[in-house]
Structures are given as C-alpha cells and as structure tokens.
Amino acid sequence: MIPLLSVVMPTYNGEKYLAASLESMRSQHDNGIELVIVDDGSTDQTLDIVRDYADTLPIRLITPGRLGNWVAATNLGLREAVGDWACFLHQDDLWLPGRLSRLRSEMESHQGPLIIHNAMYVGPDGQELGPWTCPFPKTGAIPSNQFIERLWCRTSLPFHPRFSGEMW
C-alpha cells in the first residue's frame, strides 16, 4: 500500500531534540504515513534513537555517509519517498497535537500541488515563542511572483512530490 504521506527527516547529530520530534509524530501516527530518515553521518546517539522508534513508527532509515549538507540529505529523502504527498519534519521540530488528522483532511480534499498552513515557533525548552501565519489567502491560485516574495523555505509545507523535481 502506498502511504498518503511521506515525512522526510534529515538528521545529523540530533540526539538533543530527536526523541521529542519523533515522539510528537508517534503520538498521532496512523497507517497512512511513512517516515524517511536520512542520516548525514551522525557521530552521537542519533541512530540509536531512530532505531528505538523503529518498532512504533514506519521508519525507513537511509545512511549514505557524510554528505555535509542537510539540503542534499533532504533531496535524497524526497527521491526515496513513496507517499502521494511529502512534508518535512526536521530533527529539532515538533508536530503539534492534531496535526496529522488536519493534514489528512487537507490532503484528501485538496486539488493543488501544495498545502500551506500556520505554524508555531517553539524555543529550545519547549516554550511557545509565537505564531507563523500563512501569508496567502485561504483559497485560490497565487501568482508565482507573490509566492516567491511572501514565502521562504518552510518545514511545514506538505506538497505533492510528483508536482516538481528537486526542491532546492
């Protein structure tokens, strides 16, 4: 069965935050997702943490050795992703409660190649620092020049990977 969502996570020496990131995903996991983790040659406990979660999350671990670039690791993960949709979850990011159910609803009803939604900035001790609010209208096409002007690289953007090739 092809998953609805591939979650791509580049990692490198992420032992400080990785367990919290994976736990935020595990707490709302369902059968429609896969987690593609691309480790960039970690020398800390990152791989042990990933293996600890492999019993409860559908993790596909890719270990290409040291690429030295999180973008290259992300692109490798995207190439390996098999879901109908893909999104990013960095090793130091969290899924807020209810995120997966909300994404599922959007992905199942959305006709375009990209879903953009609000997010929350969280500090290193878990404190909420403030919201990131989507700079676009809730519906309708957006001219490409407005898209580029208003939006920078975000980890919270699920997109249909068949829409375009490399992201970066």
Side-chain angles (χ1 to χ4, degrees), residues 104-121:
R104 176 177 288 287
S105 173
E106 289 290 327
M107 290 182 292
E108 290 174 347
S109 66
H110 195 70
Q111 298 300 311
L114 185 67
I115 298 169
I116 303 173
H117 57 83
N118 297 339
M120 177 64 65
Y121 290 106

Side-chain angles (χ1 to χ4, degrees), residues 4 30-33 99-109:
L4 178 63
D30 69 25
N31 291 329
I33 63 172
R99 177 182 161 130
L100 182 58
S101 64
R102 190 144 181 219
L103 282 178
R104 176 177 288 287
S105 173
E106 289 290 327
M107 290 182 292
E108 290 174 347
S109 66

Side-chain angles (χ1 to χ4, degrees), residues 21-29 52-53 56-57 95:
S21 183
L22 293 172
E23 189 60 39
S24 76
M25 189 176 167
R26 180 170 70 177
S27 68
Q28 53 191 307
H29 168 258
D52 287 345
Y53 278 85
T56 56
L57 286 172
W95 275 11

Side-chain angles (χ1 to χ4, degrees), residues 25-94:
M25 189 176 167
R26 180 170 70 177
S27 68
Q28 53 191 307
H29 168 258
D30 69 25
N31 291 329
I33 63 172
E34 71 165 342
L35 178 56
V36 181
I37 297 178
V38 181
D39 185 71
D40 193 19
S42 292
T43 58
D44 65 358
Q45 299 301 308
T46 294
L47 292 177
D48 293 331
I49 294 167
V50 170
R51 290 183 187 108
D52 287 345
Y53 278 85
D55 291 338
T56 56
L57 286 172
I59 292 174
R60 217 162 15 113
L61 176 60
I62 301 167
T63 56
R66 185 79 173 119
L67 300 171
N69 182 323
W70 71 270
V71 175
T74 300
N75 282 333
L76 176 57
L78 285 173
R79 284 191 299 273
E80 294 293 323
V82 297
D84 290 333
W85 290 81
C87 72
F88 308 116
L89 176 62
H90 290 171
Q91 66 188 14
D92 61 347
D93 290 343
L94 304 171

